[in-house]
Amino acid sequence: MSTFTSGPLVLGIETSCDETAVGIVRGRTLLANVISSSVNEHARFGGVVPEIASRAHLEAMQSVIARALDEAKVSLNDLDAIGVTAGPGLIGALLVGTSAASGLALGLNKPLFGVNHLSSHLAVDALTDTREIKPAIGLLVSGGHSSIIELRDVAREVHVLGATIDDAAGEAFDKIARILDLDFPGGPAIDRLAKSGNPAAIDFPRGLAESDYNFSFSGLKTAVSRYLQKSPQVHRGDLAASFQEAVVDVLLTKALAACKETGIDRLIIAGGVAANSRLREVAAERCAVMKIELRTPPIALCTDNGAMVAAMTSLVVSAGVKPSAIGLEAMSTVPLSQPTWA
Ligand code: KG4
Ligand code: ZN
């Protein structure tokens, strides 16, 4: 491998769900971020259909890689490493990414790194903020996960403090959106609708105690759907805003309690739900009061993308982690405590 002047040149491939995405970074600098999404093909089913997602990845892969190389103005031979999301995610979708990455690494004789999709959501922060990211408390909120993490070193050492025991935060947004007949995915739709409502209109339950770092959103979901059955004439903006307020309150109360207990005064919020405007707003207010340094990736880098995989891989390469085996095994479930693949 070459000696890096400003960090390794890494191409990262992401195919864990419905986005075929390729990012290219040099060290902590983003050079390209190309995404082809099959979201419209899933919309009428109200959720992602795995077979449709896998086929769309196969069809899009080559052109997305070519567009990313073009955007970054680099060639395949210039690369120092290839990174790929190897889990968690839809197994058929992941396999398209790991096969493409293995083929590239083998053909180009470049090191291959399988990385954890969840760690990558947090690592993307490194591209837009050059300050140190460790240690930090991570609040990872996506369609499949809600976790609070003690981040000592995102490339090597993360410690999960709590996770969802039922629905993930994004899943709760998606399900409530469906009850309200809003578009899929539901998060952005609720975010928009909530702007026309009063977040204090309805006092929805907050679930588990503050000191418990696990999350449960099923009680809240039931409360919202009961409320709608009981009062079908309710102002929908008020309902959306009050639901969103409850989710935001629970997420931040627990994440900030973790900061306080561990004495770590830095909070990174990442994953698709980190795009939520109210979560970003309330996080900024509460962190300012508590003198906690808040880090949230730009909205475009919160939902799934290839830049996050390239960023994670770049941190992993720089940390001196050994490459993964060619043909590494994609895994549909992987704990956050496993950042890379052997
Ligand atoms: O991280 P992500 O793109 O995919 C997974 O790894 O799951 O997260 C997708 C989730 C979806 O549930 C979507 O509804 C939610 O993120 N989401 C939002 C917003 N934008 C996306 N939730 C709330 N507010 C948003 N603005
Ligand atoms: Zn994700």
Side-chain angles (χ1 to χ4, degrees):
M1 212 183 295
S2 59
T3 321
F4 314 120
T5 45
S6 50
L9 182 68
V10 178
L11 178 141
I13 300 178
E14 155 62 35
T15 62
S16 69
C17 193
D18 57 342
E19 268 90 28
T20 314
V22 173
I24 299 178
V25 303
R26 189 183 297 279
R28 289 174 71 165
T29 307
L30 179 61
L31 302 181
N33 188 33
V34 176
I35 301 177
S36 165
S37 176
S38 59
V39 67
N40 293 335
E41 295 175 53
H42 307 284
R44 69 191 168 102
F45 300 104
V48 175
V49 182
E51 290 79 6
I52 295 179
S54 305
R55 179 172 291 267
H57 288 313
L58 262 179
E59 285 167 359
M61 182 59 71
Q62 278 187 314
S63 75
V64 174
I65 293 175
R67 276 160 57 202
L69 291 165
D70 214 41
E71 196 174 302
K73 298 187 177 57
V74 297
S75 76
L76 284 173
N77 281 318
D78 300 332
L79 298 173
D80 293 305
I82 315 279
V84 64
T85 298
L90 303 170
I91 192 69
L94 289 166
L95 277 167
V96 178
T98 53
S99 304
S102 291
L104 274 180
L106 190 64
L108 296 165
N109 196 22
K110 308 277 183 189
L112 171 70
F113 293 86
V115 297
N116 189 316
H117 178 82
L118 306 173
S119 317
S120 303
H121 267 302
L122 293 158
V124 78
D125 177 69
L127 298 179
T128 45
D129 198 320
T130 52
R131 289 173 296 180
E132 197 53 60
I133 35 179
K134 53 189 182 185
I137 291 297
L139 172 63
L140 177 72
V141 275
S142 71
H145 292 81
S146 313
S147 310
I148 295 184
I149 305 127
E150 188 175 331
L151 253 160
R152 291 289 161 189
D153 178 349
V154 70
R156 281 185 292 211
E157 193 195 343
V158 294
H159 177 58
V160 180
L161 300 177
T164 184
I165 55 175
D166 41 52
D167 289 346
E171 218 173 337
F173 272 96
D174 294 338
K175 288 182 176 168
I176 295 303
R178 204 175 310 168
I179 295 174
L180 290 172
D181 267 335
L182 300 173
D183 293 341
F184 170 81
I190 298 241
D191 197 343
R192 276 192 301 276
L193 177 60
K195 291 194 199 305
S196 68
N198 172 9
I202 309 159
D203 187 18
F204 284 125
R206 294 330 198 220
L208 304 173
E210 170 181 335
S211 54
D212 183 337
Y213 295 139
N214 293 313
F215 297 102
S216 168
F217 291 112
S218 69
L220 172 61
K221 214 177 57 195
T222 310
V224 175
S225 85
R226 287 227 178 101
Y227 195 96
L228 193 61
Q229 276 165 5
K230 212 173 66 212
S231 321
Q233 302 309 326
V234 62
H235 183 278
R236 289 156 55 92
D238 282 351
L239 190 81
S242 302
F243 158 74
Q244 177 174 271
E245 199 68 7
V247 176
V248 165
D249 184 27
V250 167
L251 294 177
L252 291 175
T253 301
K254 287 173 191 267
L256 291 170
C259 288
K260 206 164 164 192
E261 192 186 304
T262 55
I264 296 175
D265 59 0
R266 187 177 292 131
L267 174 64
I268 301 181
I269 308 183
V273 181
N276 184 266
S277 61
R278 186 66 183 150
L279 178 61
R280 296 170 85 93
E281 187 178 44
V282 180
E285 285 164 17
R286 291 204 198 167
C287 287
V289 171
M290 290 178 67
K291 299 204 169 19
I292 286 172
E293 178 189 318
L294 173 66
R295 313 266 291 256
T296 41
I299 287 173
L301 295 181
C302 286
T303 43
D304 291 349
N305 63 80
M308 66 191 222
V309 179
M312 176 65 183
T313 306
S314 173
L315 294 177
V316 164
V317 171
S318 301
V321 174
K322 281 213 327 232
S324 313
I326 301 288
L328 80 186
E329 188 187 358
M331 290 158 70
S332 57
T333 46
V334 193
L336 244 165
S337 51
Q338 182 193 323
T340 53
W341 266 241

